[in-house]
């Protein structure tokens, strides 16, 4: 195989699928964080230097980075990728929108939002496949019925008496 075929036939489709999965995963974190009142500073698809991006009306920086093998959502008050609290002092308004100041249940839902979004995506994809493509199967068909085959082979008696209410 030449390099161009490998690149267009394997690498590019892999990166497209991975980008979609990462986007859905990070969007799960983002949506639940915003629902719980956490300010999100950065929503990034990829790592490394920013290729392009924009800042929305709630001051979240949406960006695509050079290395498209993952992504992250940086919430207000995070010092690093491990979501350790920042050492900088916060005002009461800033504390109200930081990830670390939320209750344990809210933080757990925010952290679980990414995997939950991936599960929902998998359910939607499989439901769509089964709806529009279906599941291949071989229908059972009867080619021919041979009369009295069981009696001919001696497996069944010619007549079986029936006595209602009695077991034999």
């Amino acid at each position: 195989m030449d390099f161009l075929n490998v690149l267009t036939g394997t690498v590019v489709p892999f990166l497209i699928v991975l980008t979609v999965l990462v986007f859905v995963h990070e969007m799960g974190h983002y949506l639940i964080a915003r629902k719980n009142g956490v300010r999100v500073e950065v929503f990034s698809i990829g790592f490394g230097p920013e290729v392009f991006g924009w800042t929305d009306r709630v001051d979240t920086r949406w960006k695509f980075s050079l290395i498209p093998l993952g992504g992250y959502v940086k919430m207000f008050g995070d010092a690093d990728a491990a979501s350790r609290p920042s050492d900088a002092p916060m005002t009461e308004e800033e504390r109200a929108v930081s990830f670390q100041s939320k209750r344990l249940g809210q933080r757990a839902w925010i952290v679980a939002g990414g995997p939950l979004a991936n599960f929902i995506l998998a359910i939607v994809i499989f439901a769509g496949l089964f709806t529009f493509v279906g599941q291949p199967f071989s229908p059972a068909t009867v080619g021919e019925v041979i009369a009295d085959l069981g009696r001919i082979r001696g497996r069944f008696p010619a007549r079986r008496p029936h006595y209602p209410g009695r077991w034999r």
Side-chain angles (χ1 to χ4, degrees):
M1 289 182 135
D2 78 307
F3 178 72
L4 189 58
N5 285 340
V6 170
L7 188 66
T8 60
T10 306
V11 176
V12 171
F14 168 75
L15 290 176
I16 290 170
V17 169
L18 183 65
T19 300
V20 169
L21 288 174
V22 167
F23 177 79
V24 169
H25 179 90
E26 300 304 335
M27 186 58 77
H29 292 305
Y30 175 81
L31 291 175
I32 294 178
R34 295 288 299 145
K35 180 83 173 160
N36 283 289
V38 175
R39 187 167 77 196
V40 177
E41 294 180 340
V42 179
F43 183 103
S44 178
I45 302 298
F47 300 107
E50 180 179 328
V51 176
F52 66 92
W54 65 93
T55 303
D56 66 7
R57 61 181 173 79
V58 293
D59 211 31
T60 298
R61 181 72 183 162
W62 297 76
K63 64 182 187 174
F64 286 86
S65 298
L66 186 62
I67 304 167
L69 297 176
Y72 64 93
V73 173
K74 183 179 182 301
M75 294 172 215
F76 182 75
D78 288 350
D80 57 12
S83 291
R84 284 187 295 192
S86 175
D87 294 334
M90 288 189 228
T91 66
E92 201 56 43
E93 293 84 22
E94 290 175 334
R95 191 171 288 115
V97 295
S98 74
F99 176 72
Q100 278 75 25
S101 67
K102 297 301 176 183
R103 294 186 318 268
L104 178 62
Q106 290 174 308
R107 288 181 299 186
W109 275 111
I110 293 168
V111 170
L116 288 173
N118 286 126
F119 284 128
I120 292 169
L121 176 65
I123 291 167
V124 167
I125 288 173
F126 279 118
L129 284 173
F130 282 125
T131 300
F132 297 111
V133 176
Q135 185 176 2
F137 70 98
S138 300
T141 57
V142 177
E144 177 182 358
V145 176
I146 301 174
D148 296 331
L149 182 62
R151 279 196 302 275
I152 293 170
R153 291 190 176 164
R155 291 186 184 153
F156 302 109
R159 286 182 119 197
R160 183 168 45 173
H162 178 65
Y163 302 102
R166 287 183 57 192
W167 290 94
R168 288 192 146 183

